[in-house]
Amino acid sequence: MSPLSRVLLLLLAVAPLAACNPPVPRMERVVVAWPSGEGAAVTVPMQRASGRWLVSIGLRRPDGSERQALAWLNMGAPAPILSEGLYRELGLAEGRDLAMRIGPVGVTVGGRSVIDGPGRIGDQDLFGLLFAPRSVEAVLPAGVLRHFVVTVDPRAEALTLARPGTPRPRGVPVPVRIDSASGIAVADARVGGQAVSLVLDVGAPYTWLRGSTVATWLARRPDWRRAEGAVGRANLAMADLGLEPAGTVIRLPRLDLPGLSFPDVGALGTGPVGGRLGAVALGEIFWDRWQAGIGEPVAGWLGNNVLDGVRLTLDYPAGQSFWERQRATGPGDLDGVGLTLVRRSAGYAVAAVATREGRPLVPGVEAGDRLVRIDGHPLDGLAPEAALAALSARPGERRVLELDRAGASVKVTAEGARF
């Protein structure tokens, strides 16, 4: 295959990973219906999956009946996305609108704004890649949430939707900018004395940043570098692309928002899609595509390694957020065996072995090995969070890895590392 052909394939491959984010159709019509007798707010339960939050929503079929679906709460996505099967079951392929229910609140979205399918990477669609064996069929995006005052409470595992103009929420106020087209919220932060714009997204398990931004910081502060290769929750996509295997894990001594400070914040500076060839031909295509619907340049997103520690309220109509601390976050959130994984059908393979100062952190393991068992427990069929949990370990704690290398069985004893 020619270098140009490889680049074109990479361009097609990265599109699904960015598909749950811009560029997408503009949200042309959203109608919210509060049932009579309801108060100013409703609260529905959330459940955790792969470091992300899911909520159950009701969806109206063409015959008027309702069916339930799990939706990914994604503040970094502008428009609803449905699985291909659900899109057709609800009649959107015939031009119908999307009618959903979040708790008792009805929401109707113009059908032309709804995306048909999350896209595929290899033989898996994005919902399956991120969530299987759970069946997740939809994205509940910023383009819908922006019509409410939204509170995400990790401790209570609850999502609250309130009418605009409700009393001021509790917590430290932090101004945000809401893009008029996408509804995505951007906050101004400071890292190492430098201003940086970040999307607030409880749909992301970990903070990801542009590789070019991180490279600039590391030129001045090389001590921030922790490893080459995504590990733990930073390995959030497990997609067969260069973003994670060629990424850089860093530890920010402090990240400041107006009135707030977060110490020891981990982040992944993403690698180039397709390595050096992809970087030359495509630049930071993932970020450029993702940023296109935000309305301004951003350095990345602030994910749940930070947001899990706060009760976050986004008053979209007022352009304000409110932060109430619930627990402290620590520097050990990535501690474990230094492997970057990629999902392959129902199992997991090693995309890269993390390195530090050029030395592999897990000697004896090679990129391309299929990870079969950890401490005797099989990985096939496990959800991503369970596979990552099996690799978690305190520094020096050992894990026994059983691998398949081109049909040959390999056993490696690996030690956890601090990231």
Side-chain angles (χ1 to χ4, degrees), residues 233-309:
R233 290 173 65 184
N235 188 191
L236 60 84
M238 294 187 178
D240 201 2
L241 301 167
L243 295 166
E244 295 168 289
T248 301
V249 173
I250 63 171
R251 184 66 60 176
L252 306 175
R254 198 174 78 182
L255 185 147
D256 295 319
L257 294 168
L260 293 168
S261 183
F262 296 91
D264 291 315
V265 174
L268 180 75
T270 54
V273 175
R276 292 181 181 178
L277 176 66
V280 171
L282 304 174
E284 291 186 290
I285 182 174
F286 170 78
W287 291 107
D288 293 342
R289 285 179 56 86
W290 185 77
Q291 181 181 276
I294 297 174
E296 64 175 280
V298 296
W301 62 64
L302 198 63
N304 285 339
N305 56 315
V306 174
L307 300 179
D308 275 350

Side-chain angles (χ1 to χ4, degrees), residues 269-356:
T270 54
V273 175
R276 292 181 181 178
L277 176 66
V280 171
L282 304 174
E284 291 186 290
I285 182 174
F286 170 78
W287 291 107
D288 293 342
R289 285 179 56 86
W290 185 77
Q291 181 181 276
I294 297 174
E296 64 175 280
V298 296
W301 62 64
L302 198 63
N304 285 339
N305 56 315
V306 174
L307 300 179
D308 275 350
V310 298
R311 181 180 183 269
L312 176 66
T313 297
L314 270 172
D315 187 340
Y316 285 94
Q320 189 76 284
S321 64
F322 298 86
W323 303 59
E324 183 181 29
R325 291 185 188 270
Q326 293 186 328
R327 63 174 179 81
T329 56
D333 55 359
L334 294 180
D335 289 357
V337 176
L339 297 178
T340 304
L341 300 185
V342 61
R343 290 200 86 172
R344 295 279 172 78
S345 188
Y348 297 85
V350 177
V353 178
T355 62
R356 184 171 288 159

Side-chain angles (χ1 to χ4, degrees), residues 12 17 78 92 113 119 131 135 140 144 157 195 213 217 225 269 301 311 333 345 363 391 395-396 418:
L12 293 172
L17 194 55
L92 272 72
S113 298
F131 297 109
S135 177
L140 183 58
V144 171
E157 297 189 343
T213 298
W217 292 346
R225 187 188 306 269
W301 62 64
R311 181 180 183 269
D333 55 359
S345 188
L391 283 175
R418 171 58 55 90

